[in-house]
Amino acid sequence: MAHNLIDDTGGASWADPAQQGELWEMARARSSDSFNGANPFGWAQVLTESGMGPYTVVSVAKYDDALQTAARAMASTGRPVGLVMWSGRHAWVMSGFESIGDPGVFPDFKVTGIHVLDPLYPYGSGQWGASPEPNSLVTPEQLATQFVVREPRRWSSGLPTGYLLVLPVASA
């Protein structure tokens, strides 16, 4: 999803199952995950290597700070942010946001809405809840029911406990 939001080459979307499988395998090959899946580091590396980056993985201790960090990165790069959901078990893409104040101008701006994409839509999770419709605008309170602190025991990232973001960074 992030690839499709970023890629402005005019090519076809990466919605074909074979293309999605290729990106998944690339991310798995770049991940160290005891569950044999892709982790945020693999996701960030694939986005970077495929020309969509650079991306990095960060952990932010406080929820409101995580939302501000994500919004600032989107505002400064024009690229989506990965949200590591369900204590590190799933991922959504933040495709936009609404705020009171411009992140580039006001250091104390407030995020009031987050546009999200969940690859499990329309199914969601019995434990975590329903998936929002693609590009839904959710409130910070709604997002907080599924965007929670990563469990460090889930996989060892070397990052402190916090809200994990696959964050676009400015090109060097």
Side-chain angles (χ1 to χ4, degrees):
M1 289 183 292
H3 193 290
N4 285 335
L5 290 170
I6 300 166
D7 188 359
D8 62 359
T9 63
S13 77
W14 280 65
D16 179 87
Q19 292 168 320
Q20 291 295 309
E22 179 184 340
L23 290 172
W24 172 254
E25 290 303 324
M26 288 171 65
R28 283 183 59 207
R30 290 155 178 80
S31 299
S32 60
D33 187 306
S34 60
F35 298 95
N36 202 27
N39 68 29
F41 293 104
W43 183 9
Q45 192 172 348
V46 168
L47 285 170
T48 300
E49 290 175 8
S50 65
M52 305 296 116
Y55 272 80
T56 191
V57 179
V58 300
S59 179
V60 181
K62 295 180 181 175
Y63 182 72
D64 288 340
D65 293 346
L67 294 183
Q68 285 186 322
T69 298
R72 275 190 196 99
M74 284 196 76
S76 68
T77 67
R79 292 182 273 138
V81 172
L83 304 174
V84 179
M85 308 295 287
W86 306 352
S87 294
R89 291 174 179 84
H90 186 48
W92 288 5
V93 173
M94 179 176 163
S95 57
F97 68 93
E98 292 183 359
S99 64
I100 298 173
D102 181 339
V105 177
F106 301 102
D108 293 330
F109 74 100
K110 179 177 175 70
V111 175
T112 58
I114 305 95
H115 287 275
V116 294
L117 301 164
D118 179 355
L120 291 182
Y121 177 80
Y123 305 107
S125 161
Q127 177 182 355
W128 294 96
S131 295
E133 289 187 27
N135 210 29
S136 288
L137 179 66
V138 298
T139 67
E141 295 77 21
Q142 290 169 316
L143 184 68
T145 65
Q146 297 191 47
F147 183 46
V148 297
V149 171
R150 173 195 52 90
E151 293 176 2
R153 63 184 167 81
R154 178 76 180 154
W155 56 272
S156 178
S157 67
L159 294 173
T161 298
Y163 298 88
L164 288 186
L165 303 170
V166 178
L167 202 67
V169 293
S171 300

